[in-house]
Amino acid sequence: MEQIKIGTLISADEAMSIIPDITDYGFETFSITFWKTIGKTDIKELAKRLTDYLAPKGITISSLSIFTNPLSDSTEFSDAVKSWETLIDNASLFGTNLVTGFTGRVIDKSIDDSINKFQQVFGELSKRAASKGVKIAFENCTMAGTWEKGNWNIAHNPAAWELMFNALPEDNLGLQWEPCHQMVQLIDPIPQLKKWAGKIFNVHGKDATIDWDIIKKYGIGGYKQFAWHRTPGFGDSNWTDIISILRMNNYTGSIDIEGYHDPVYNGKLELTGQVHALNYLKQCRGGNFIENPVGWKDR
């Protein structure tokens, strides 16, 4: 079975300034991210610089991500669809076949009211991607949205996934999943992972800590925070179980650490936390891949 690689997210505008400083710590992939728009980024030049640097080291780009709202008519997101198209068209230059991001949503409307626009926009984008051998995966962050309203993303609840994939049952559409975004909604990620593993194209390495004492005393609508996003290795999830479930479902993607959220391992401790997560996740996958002796192959 192909090894599940462990990497991290890097903003496109920081890629060439940060990646050379951290490759020696053992990151195996990098997910290159854009916020709202690709802007004036020279995509082809960025692809060349990254691949020229990473390829000799055996490090790959796992995905390109654009976190924007392609379902909105707002001028704030006027080039959201174009940004998706540009990344789809140029993914192969980065050596990846995966483009990810938010679905978007019709602003301040319900998830139900956003499905038609989702079907229209991603119906076209999925065809464009399929013609280039590219898959699309939707990140599962609420972005402070609910079922009834929000500004960014409808793909944060399994009931929404049912609506989305019923509207567009395309093989190249899937999920960019992480347990954290489900846990902070008090959804158990393990049964969900077992059900949806076949639709998961990429995993974000982010965990959560839930303080059940606060929930029992104050509920989830009180003034006390009851959940924190955590770097893997510091949260509540058993990543050995997560990786085992992924492997049992023939997952061959990567797990890319999403940093800059942990309330403890941040600031001057950011890289400390990420390298701990990197080594922890490698341990959870069973360590480094070791080829079986010839006599064991058919057992």
Side-chain angles (χ1 to χ4, degrees):
M1 179 179 292
E2 185 178 338
Q3 180 77 299
I4 294 176
K5 294 182 178 180
I6 313 297
T8 191
L9 276 67
I10 297 288
S11 175
D13 59 1
E14 298 177 333
M16 289 312 302
S17 62
I18 290 181
I19 286 176
D21 289 336
I22 66 173
T23 50
D24 289 344
Y25 291 105
F27 293 100
E28 298 165 337
T29 60
F30 291 104
S31 175
I32 306 302
T33 70
F34 296 82
W35 180 249
K36 287 189 180 180
T37 175
I38 63 168
K40 296 181 180 179
T41 303
D42 186 331
I43 292 294
K44 290 180 171 55
E45 176 63 20
L46 178 62
K48 184 179 188 307
R49 292 180 68 191
L50 281 170
T51 53
D52 284 353
Y53 179 78
L54 294 175
K57 300 177 182 297
I59 302 171
T60 58
I61 301 297
S62 61
S63 62
L64 304 176
S65 299
I66 177 71
F67 298 110
T68 187
N69 186 350
L71 307 192
S72 171
D73 295 324
S74 167
T75 56
E76 179 182 6
F77 303 110
S78 59
D79 68 344
V81 172
K82 182 180 178 182
S83 292
W84 269 96
E85 291 174 345
T86 299
L87 295 185
I88 288 168
D89 291 349
N90 291 278
S92 63
L93 299 180
F94 291 82
T96 185
N97 68 343
L98 183 62
V99 178
T100 80
F102 298 147
T103 56
R105 69 185 293 165
V106 179
I107 291 178
D108 285 335
K109 296 293 185 181
S110 71
I111 288 176
D112 298 280
D113 291 337
S114 296
I115 291 296
N116 285 342
K117 190 68 178 288
F118 166 80
Q119 186 177 35
Q120 294 168 18
V121 171
F122 281 97
E124 293 302 315
L125 288 174
S126 65
K127 291 176 186 176
R128 189 185 194 103
S131 72
K132 299 178 183 299
V134 170
K135 297 187 292 185
I136 290 172
F138 302 113
E139 217 260 20
N140 64 339
C141 182
T142 66
M143 291 300 289
T146 65
W147 191 276
E148 294 304 321
K149 64 170 55 179
N151 294 341
W152 289 94
N153 191 30
I154 64 173
H156 56 76
N157 186 282
W161 304 341
E162 298 279 3
L163 295 177
M164 289 160 47
F165 297 129
N166 284 338
L168 286 174
E170 308 299 336
D171 290 341
N172 69 329
L173 295 183
L175 298 171
Q176 184 174 55
W177 182 87
E178 68 176 61
C180 173
H181 291 313
Q182 302 307 290
M183 294 167 71
V184 298
Q185 299 177 73
L186 305 186
I187 298 172
D188 186 340
I190 294 299
Q192 180 183 95
L193 176 60
K194 291 176 180 177
K195 177 177 180 178
W196 288 94
K199 266 293 191 182
I200 294 173
F201 297 163
N202 180 256
V203 173
H204 273 176
K206 184 146 64 69
D207 205 343
T209 294
I210 308 298
D211 192 324
W212 290 100
D213 290 336
I214 289 177
I215 293 171
K216 290 172 184 176
K217 188 172 182 179
Y218 297 101
I220 61 173
Y223 72 98
K224 284 187 173 287
Q225 186 173 352
F226 66 89
W228 293 263
H229 293 206
R230 303 302 305 272
T231 305
F234 303 111
D236 293 348
S237 296
N238 184 329
W239 284 83
T240 299
D241 287 348
I242 289 173
I243 291 172
S244 293
I245 294 166
L246 290 169
R247 279 185 157 157
M248 284 190 285
N249 286 274
N250 300 312
Y251 180 77
T252 57
S254 64
I255 300 174
D256 296 302
I257 298 160
E258 184 179 351
Y260 301 98
H261 288 80
D262 196 286
V264 178
Y265 291 89
N266 59 39
K268 291 182 179 180
L269 291 176
E270 178 63 40
L271 188 57
T272 299
Q274 288 212 30
V275 172
H276 172 80
L278 173 68
N279 294 325
Y280 165 75
L281 290 171
K282 286 181 178 180
Q283 184 65 30
C284 289
R285 76 179 179 191
N288 293 325
F289 176 75
I290 301 172
E291 186 74 38
N292 286 337
V294 173
W296 287 9
K297 285 187 176 179
D298 295 326
R299 292 190 182 187

